[in-house]
Amino acid sequence: QVQHGPKHRLSIVFPNLGGADAATAAALPAMFAEPFGEPPVAAGVLANLRLASEAALPPLRALLCDTDLLPQQALGQLDFIETALNTILVNLQDPDGFARFRRLRLVAVRRRIQNKPEHAEALLKCAGFALVADVAAGGEPEHLEWGPADATALAPALAVLVLIARVKARAKAAGNRALAEPVDATVSVQDLAALEYDCNTLVESSDNTEAPSGGVMGCPQKVSAVKGALIPRAWLEARLPQVALALEEMKKFFKIGIREKTVVRELCRVLNVGRDDKLSNSPTLERAAQLMASMILVSMRKPEMCAQPTTPAEEALRESVELDSEGGAIAGGGGDAPHRSNDALGRTTMPQTKRRQSGIEVLESSALPLLLGCIPAVKLGLLPRAVMEIVYLREFPAFFTSGIQEKQFQVSIGALKQRLADVFREKLGQGTEVHAIGIGCAIDIG
């Protein structure tokens, strides 16, 4: 969070994926890192993905090497499988949509894929689908059903999506003749971070407006895009109503302009300096970072966004107990006094009360986990982590006051990106692996 005075603010958030420890830092706005989990956890998730991808390789090879199919027909089957899986994953937070799309009628699949549909059916089974028999029809299987919506089915689905993306990228780069070449079964953090789920928006808009490429809000623009958003509007209103309201009332803060894009681009460059393995950009993480950066910015104008929910019991305890400067508690005006006890040295001690969160700490602890949990790769079990920092705009005045082509702006952005990169590395700590990153930037000029 970079700010100067009450009306000039810059909020920057960037998640990254890696194999770091899962301790969460407790500062807030400027950067948020999302290294995926402790090494044992990440290793377990990636190991499950590797097993799932290895299981999918035989039917994938059978499809790609089938001489009775043209390369375009094989790729067409992969497109169908990819769309079916993406549609399910995008609707994981929508019970009605999930119930609707998790089932595929075998008749419909075979009607859509008329040549060798058994290849597609075999790959769908490897992606988490199972045949479901219809008792009324004499026990004959009529549907392929995906689920349940947990790691049991998520790992196979994500693994198959990674393999399909790998095959399609090879065909685009080297032509259809490269389809028959061996496919690597390894699934990395970068592969997971690169998945877009064919959905170019993160939060569903209430007015069905289209989102710009890489937008936070809106409806899918592309004709082939999956219908829906990773964060449905109804889901957001039920769990984070203050955020949903802010998205409607202050839409301008959730749009990214040329100045913000410049910060994102330059910061990516400086973070890759000196790295042999360059950080891969994650479009999904970038949208999540943009959403969080904008939320932090809006919360400074709307403090009610950071209101921490309480129960009547918590309020009563707050009225009767106050924390002293050393963390102890003293009796307040009303109610029964807290129970006192003596420690080993005979000193009177008071029970410790849980420190109440305030301000953007509430967004960090409540909104951030909920929003990131809508991303299928996070839902799979990879752990997010946040790194926060606040800097002041008075250190970089030309960033706001100069044109982006002016020398003063270039000098200011150079100092700003280096400052943020240094803080990011310091907060993240030594020995932390980072493989993929998404950066969001929001500006409030008043």
Side-chain angles (χ1 to χ4, degrees):
Q1 179 70 35
V2 184
Q3 62 179 15
H4 178 247
K7 294 185 179 179
H8 298 75
R9 304 185 181 97
L10 166 66
S11 178
I12 301 177
V13 176
F14 48 105
N16 56 82
L17 306 181
D21 62 59
T24 301
L28 197 125
M31 314 181 176
F32 107 178
E34 187 192 334
F36 268 22
E38 295 176 330
V41 176
V45 169
L46 295 180
N48 290 336
L49 288 167
R50 174 63 184 261
L51 290 175
S53 65
E54 288 178 346
L57 278 182
L60 179 62
R61 290 196 191 100
L63 169 64
L64 298 177
C65 298
D66 193 327
T67 56
D68 294 332
L69 293 175
L70 296 173
Q72 292 82 356
Q73 291 175 317
L75 290 173
Q77 292 200 25
L78 293 183
D79 286 337
F80 173 81
I81 297 167
E82 185 179 41
T83 300
L85 292 175
N86 282 329
T87 303
I88 291 172
L89 296 179
V90 166
N91 285 276
L92 286 178
Q93 309 303 329
D94 179 6
D96 294 335
F98 177 70
R100 175 186 175 187
F101 294 115
R102 67 180 300 199
R103 276 196 164 201
L104 298 175
R105 294 185 60 192
L106 281 175
V107 173
V109 173
R110 292 165 183 171
R111 187 184 303 123
R112 177 71 180 272
I113 304 175
Q114 298 181 0
N115 294 327
K116 301 292 189 74
E118 61 270 16
H119 293 308
E121 293 174 23
L123 267 175
L124 287 170
K125 292 176 185 177
C126 292
F129 282 88
L131 286 172
V132 178
D134 188 352
V135 178
E140 290 294 325
E142 285 196 351
H143 294 88
L144 284 164
E145 184 176 284
W146 187 90
D150 56 20
T152 306
L154 273 175
L158 293 174
V160 170
L161 283 176
V162 168
L163 292 179
I164 292 175
R166 193 168 290 164
V167 170
K168 292 173 71 173
R170 176 187 294 174
K172 183 177 181 180
N176 292 337
R177 290 177 296 179
L179 293 180
E181 297 179 3
V183 180
D184 184 9
T186 303
V187 179
S188 66
V189 174
Q190 294 97 318
D191 294 325
L192 292 176
L195 293 176
E196 294 190 63
Y197 313 103
D198 203 18
C199 180
N200 66 334
T201 186
L202 187 67
V203 182
E204 181 184 10
S205 175
S206 61
D207 55 7
N208 294 325
T209 56
E210 289 187 347
S213 178
V216 171
M217 292 177 56
C219 297
Q221 277 187 314
K222 298 180 296 183
V223 175
S224 61
V226 171
K227 294 182 179 180
L230 288 174
I231 304 177
R233 186 72 192 179
W235 182 94
L236 187 66
E237 291 175 346
R239 288 161 179 81
L240 296 168
Q242 72 279 22
V243 175
L245 184 62
L247 283 169
E248 294 305 317
E249 293 182 349
M250 309 187 79
K251 289 184 177 180
K252 68 175 183 177
F253 293 108
F254 295 89
K255 297 179 180 179
I256 184 168
I258 185 63
R259 203 172 293 263
E260 294 94 322
K261 291 179 180 178
T262 302
V263 175
V264 171
R265 182 178 64 251
E266 294 300 319
L267 195 51
C268 282
R269 287 178 180 174
V270 74
L271 289 173
N272 272 318
V273 172
R275 290 181 61 99
D276 295 329
D277 54 332
K278 301 300 181 182
L279 293 172
S280 62
N281 181 62
S282 169
T284 303
L285 288 181
E286 186 173 302
R287 292 165 196 148
Q290 182 66 39
L291 176 61
M292 196 64 194
S294 301
M295 284 169 50
I296 293 170
L297 201 65
V298 171
S299 69
M300 294 185 171
R301 291 199 175 202
K302 296 174 66 68
E304 61 270 22
M305 281 183 62
C306 299
Q308 184 178 9
T310 59
T311 65
E314 289 175 333
E315 290 294 340
L317 181 61
R318 278 215 302 155
E319 292 176 1
S320 61
V321 179
E322 295 179 353
L323 287 177
D324 65 15
S325 60
E326 295 180 356
I330 58 175
D336 297 331
H339 175 71
R340 299 171 181 266
S341 61
N342 294 330
D343 62 11
L345 299 178
R347 296 175 299 191
T348 301
T349 61
M350 299 292 295
Q352 298 293 311
T353 60
K354 184 178 179 180
R355 186 182 73 83
R356 184 171 174 73
Q357 293 178 331
S358 62
I360 48 184
E361 288 181 334
V362 178
L363 289 178
E364 178 193 353
S365 63
S366 60
L368 181 59
L370 281 173
L371 295 173
L372 290 178
C374 295
I375 300 175
V378 177
K379 196 177 182 68
L380 178 64
L382 300 175
L383 304 178
R385 177 186 175 184
V387 174
M388 320 290 184
E389 176 64 13
I390 297 176
V391 294
Y392 294 92
L393 185 60
R394 61 176 175 263
E395 302 177 55
F396 314 101
F399 175 78
F400 281 93
T401 59
S402 303
I404 60 173
Q405 300 298 331
E406 295 182 15
K407 180 64 176 179
Q408 299 94 317
F409 178 83
Q410 300 300 327
V411 173
S412 183
I413 193 68
L416 175 60
K417 69 182 181 183
Q418 192 59 54
R419 167 73 177 275
L420 295 176
D422 291 343
V423 172
F424 171 73
R425 296 187 183 106
E426 178 184 352
K427 292 288 186 179
L428 201 57
Q430 296 292 331
T432 300
E433 286 188 56
V434 180
H435 303 291
I437 193 169
I439 301 175
C441 175
I443 297 178
D444 180 4
I445 304 182

